[in-house]
Amino acid sequence: MTYIVNDNCIACKYTDCVEVCPVDCFYEGENMLVIHPDECIDCGVCEPECPADAIRPDTEPDMEKWVEFNRKYSELWPVIITRKDPLPEAEERDGESGKLEKYFSESPGEGG
């Protein structure tokens, strides 16, 4: 089992999760985070830290695409270990549907 970040993170990018991760397996894109599924140790401490409920175990239904999505971008984006402010539109976009199609950016974040 591993944890993944899904599209609830897009356009919010809360980073409360990165500070509690004991193995630094979060990677930062321009407008979301992902978890490297091969680095995650399945401890689960990140899941309750996410205000947008964007971190889920891969054992839930239909998570295969998110495992591969997280793997792909964690290999392209820089690691993030320090908490940052969420995106300015985070509260407004939290819970919005269709965020992958509307807002996702493949560009990397700054990391750090």
Side-chain angles (χ1 to χ4, degrees):
M1 187 177 94
T2 187
Y3 284 83
I4 57 86
V5 178
N6 62 31
D7 57 342
N8 289 343
C9 185
I10 298 170
C12 290
K13 198 165 84 168
Y14 292 102
T15 58
D16 307 67
C17 52
V18 302
E19 287 198 322
V20 299
C21 181
V23 293
D24 302 334
C25 65
F26 281 88
Y27 293 80
E28 182 184 16
E30 180 179 32
N31 67 355
M32 78 173 293
L33 305 176
V34 293
I35 295 172
H36 195 302
D38 298 332
E39 295 173 2
C40 176
I41 60 170
D42 314 325
C43 68
V45 296
C46 59
E47 186 180 18
E49 297 298 318
C50 181
D53 195 31
I55 300 173
R56 311 300 308 160
D58 72 343
T59 53
E60 291 185 356
D62 303 318
M63 286 295 145
E64 297 83 14
K65 75 173 189 175
W66 289 110
V67 171
E68 291 312 310
F69 182 94
N70 278 246
R71 177 175 283 112
K72 175 181 177 178
Y73 289 102
S74 66
E75 293 173 0
L76 299 172
W77 293 345
V79 69
I80 179 172
I81 59 172
T82 306
R83 186 180 182 281
K84 299 178 181 181
D85 290 335
L87 296 176
E89 66 270 19
E91 283 189 38
E92 177 185 333
R93 300 278 185 242
D94 189 6
E96 185 177 327
S97 61
K99 294 195 318 183
L100 182 63
E101 297 77 22
K102 292 185 216 174
Y103 308 118
F104 176 67
S105 168
E106 291 188 352
S107 298
E110 295 177 4

